[in-house]
């Protein structure tokens, strides 16, 4: 039986036994409607579907493509095109996009949202701002940017329908696909010639998917990672660097989840838990979350959150100490911005085998 069908049937069974709080139901409905750009009707979603989505929020790991996961959809706040244009990170990202692809100046902002922060409070920055732009023409070209609210970096870019529907990007030769991905990275980030390159087909029997890694010489982690599927190219800025002391605390499509690994390879967290990285990985593999592991040691969720947020905030501030441009946020502000993402990691439970 295909894995997609197993997942669907399992979630349907789970949906029957779950009661979704009305407030969460409403937030899911609003976020889901926004994410689909109102392609579906405005009728209220059925309780069974909402419950199924809650089950998916709890159990499905991060997708390979750089689109928002369901757990992020629940916590995202829709914002208007006008709010995007006055948001510091969003405005800078748009200018970069317009410079890279001048034709996008005529594209319409058809969707935007923030993860964390308050779009109505000027001093409260989001952990991430996402913008979706679409060509008004018949081709339906789309591009999505996910921007780090602290650093202003474009963390992910999705390019959809930029090739003719009769010959989507996935139908091109390997060399042609690489050329398309190279071009996107060159335009958004810079020259890719300095990186070592690898390409492999993912094990998806129902839809062909290619993964492309661009790695600095001597590094174990990709600097850029791209996925090509259908008529979509998705590129993520990973950042490279040496392999963490332990990989694969969580995984997506059998590959390490670099965000989780970056957060959980934290000496201060491990000291708090009095565990080695290998021991933490072993406990997580049993289906427990970091929060549950900590609770068994009489350590609160807030203590875990404070320790991890402090570590990550210090990493964000470290470039300042090396003479790079000063971040305009204080350490405490950065910690607040990072908390929603850290909560996702420490509350996550490893999926049990189907």
């Amino acid at each position: 039986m295909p894995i997609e069908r197993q997942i669907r049937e399992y979630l349907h069974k789970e949906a029957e036994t779950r009661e979704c709080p009305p407030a969460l139901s409403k937030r899911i409905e609003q976020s889901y409607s926004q994410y689909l750009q109102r392609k579906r009707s405005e009728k209220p979603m059925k309780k069974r579907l909402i419950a199924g989505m809650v089950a998916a929020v709890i159990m499905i790991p991060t997708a390979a493509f750089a689109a928002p996961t369901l757990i992020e959809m629940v916590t995202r706040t829709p914002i208007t095109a006008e709010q995007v244009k006055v948001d510091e990170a969003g405005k800078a990202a748009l200018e970069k996009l317009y410079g890279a692809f001048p034709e996008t100046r005529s594209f319409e902002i058809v969707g935007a949202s923030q993860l964390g922060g308050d779009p109505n409070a000027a001093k409260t920055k989001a952990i991430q701002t996402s913008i979706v732009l679409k060509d008004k023409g018949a081709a339906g070209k789309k591009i999505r940017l996910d921007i780090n609210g602290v650093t202003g970096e474009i963390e992910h870019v999705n390019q959809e329908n930029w090739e003719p529907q009769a010959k989507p990007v996935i139908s091109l030769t390997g060399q042609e696909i690489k050329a398309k991905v190279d071009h996107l990275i060159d335009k958004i980030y810079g020259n890719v010639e300095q990186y070592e390159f690898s390409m492999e087909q993912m094990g998806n029997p129902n839809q062909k998917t290619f993964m492309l890694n661009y790695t600095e010489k001597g590094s174990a982690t990709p600097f850029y990672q791209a996925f090509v599927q259908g008529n979509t190219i998705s590129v993520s800025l990973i950042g490279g660097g040496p392999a963490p002391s332990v990989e694969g605390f969580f995984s997506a499509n059998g590959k390490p989840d670099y965000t989780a690994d970056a957060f959980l390879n934290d000496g201060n967290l491990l000291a708090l838990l009095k565990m080695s990285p290998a021991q933490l990985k072993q406990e997580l593999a049993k289906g427990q979350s970091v929060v549950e592991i900590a609770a068994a040691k009489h350590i609160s969720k807030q203590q875990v959150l404070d320790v991890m947020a402090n570590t990550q905030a210090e990493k964000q501030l470290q470039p300042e100490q090396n003479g790079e441009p000063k971040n305009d946020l204080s350490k405490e502000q950065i910690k607040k911005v990072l908390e929603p993402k850290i909560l996702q990691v420490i509350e996550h439970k490893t999926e049990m085998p189907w």
Side-chain angles (χ1 to χ4, degrees), residues 9 19 29 39 47-48 70 73 76 113 115 127-128 135 148 206 217 234 236 246 262 269 310 328 330-331:
E9 292 182 358
E19 285 292 327
E29 180 181 349
K39 287 184 180 178
K47 181 179 178 182
R48 177 186 174 95
L70 285 172
M73 286 166 57
R76 283 183 178 276
S113 63
L115 178 64
I127 187 171
Q128 188 185 79
D135 184 12
N148 186 305
N206 298 317
K217 189 173 182 180
S234 175
S236 296
V246 171
L269 169 67
N310 190 68
D328 61 353
S330 69
K331 183 176 180 180

Side-chain angles (χ1 to χ4, degrees), residues 133-150:
L133 300 95
K134 185 177 181 181
D135 184 12
K136 298 176 182 178
K141 289 183 178 180
K142 269 187 181 181
I143 193 160
R144 174 194 171 99
L145 304 175
D146 292 319
I147 306 113
N148 186 305
V150 177

Side-chain angles (χ1 to χ4, degrees), residues 174 177-178 181-182 192 195-200 211-215:
I177 288 174
K178 180 181 183 299
V181 177
D182 283 358
V192 298
Y195 300 100
E196 297 178 342
F197 168 78
S198 67
M199 179 176 178
E200 64 178 283
M211 179 176 70
L212 296 82
N213 286 325
Y214 295 79
T215 308

Side-chain angles (χ1 to χ4, degrees), residues 15-295:
E16 295 291 346
T17 63
R18 292 179 184 271
E19 285 292 327
C20 181
L24 181 56
S25 298
K26 188 63 178 175
R27 291 183 68 186
I28 293 174
E29 180 181 349
Q30 291 172 343
S31 296
Y32 191 67
S33 298
Q34 178 73 18
Y35 181 61
L36 292 181
Q37 302 305 322
R38 306 184 186 278
K39 287 184 180 178
R40 302 192 178 203
S41 69
E42 296 297 328
K43 295 178 182 179
M45 296 174 71
K46 293 181 180 179
K47 181 179 178 182
R48 177 186 174 95
L49 176 57
I50 293 174
M53 289 183 67
V54 172
V57 164
I58 296 168
M59 289 176 281
I60 293 181
T62 304
F65 270 66
T69 60
L70 285 172
I71 186 66
E72 288 186 345
M73 286 166 57
V74 174
T75 58
R76 283 183 178 276
T77 304
I79 58 176
T80 65
E82 288 70 27
Q83 286 173 312
V84 169
K85 292 172 183 176
V86 298
D87 175 75
E88 185 179 335
K91 184 168 61 175
L94 283 177
E95 285 305 313
K96 188 169 188 176
L97 174 65
Y98 295 153
F101 298 99
E103 66 189 287
T104 59
R105 288 186 180 274
S106 65
F107 284 20
E108 180 185 3
I109 296 177
V110 296
S113 63
Q114 288 185 341
L115 178 64
D118 182 353
N120 298 312
K123 293 184 179 180
T124 305
K125 289 198 174 185
I127 187 171
Q128 188 185 79
T129 298
S130 299
I131 311 168
V132 181
L133 300 95
K134 185 177 181 181
D135 184 12
K136 298 176 182 178
K141 289 183 178 180
K142 269 187 181 181
I143 193 160
R144 174 194 171 99
L145 304 175
D146 292 319
I147 306 113
N148 186 305
V150 177
T151 65
E153 291 179 313
I154 297 175
E155 296 179 314
H156 313 291
V157 55
N158 258 44
Q159 198 180 58
E160 184 179 349
N161 297 331
W162 284 56
E163 297 301 313
Q165 290 295 332
K167 193 176 182 182
V169 64
I170 198 66
S171 68
L172 304 177
T173 66
Q175 188 173 358
E176 289 172 330
I177 288 174
K178 180 181 183 299
K180 297 291 183 184
V181 177
D182 283 358
H183 181 68
L184 178 57
I185 294 175
D186 276 337
K187 288 293 186 179
I188 298 295
Y189 297 108
N191 185 20
V192 298
E193 294 299 323
Q194 60 182 304
Y195 300 100
E196 297 178 342
F197 168 78
S198 67
M199 179 176 178
E200 64 178 283
Q201 184 171 345
M202 305 292 288
N204 184 347
N206 298 317
Q207 192 167 28
K208 187 163 68 171
T209 303
F210 283 107
M211 179 176 70
L212 296 82
N213 286 325
Y214 295 79
T215 308
E216 293 174 305
K217 189 173 182 180
S219 174
T221 304
F223 201 90
Y224 302 111
Q225 187 171 69
F227 291 89
V228 176
Q229 185 182 81
N231 209 6
T232 299
I233 297 173
S234 175
V235 174
S236 296
L237 172 63
I238 305 297
S245 57
V246 171
E247 291 187 53
F249 284 107
F250 308 141
S251 63
N253 289 328
K255 302 293 180 180
D257 182 325
Y258 295 109
T259 299
D261 286 350
F263 283 142
L264 296 176
N265 278 283
D266 180 342
N268 296 320
L269 169 67
L270 297 168
L272 177 68
L273 298 177
K274 297 181 180 178
M275 302 175 77
S276 69
Q279 288 172 326
L280 176 58
K281 182 175 179 178
Q282 185 177 23
E283 290 302 307
L284 290 170
K286 296 176 182 178
Q288 297 185 84
S289 68
V290 174
V291 170
E292 290 173 335
I293 294 168

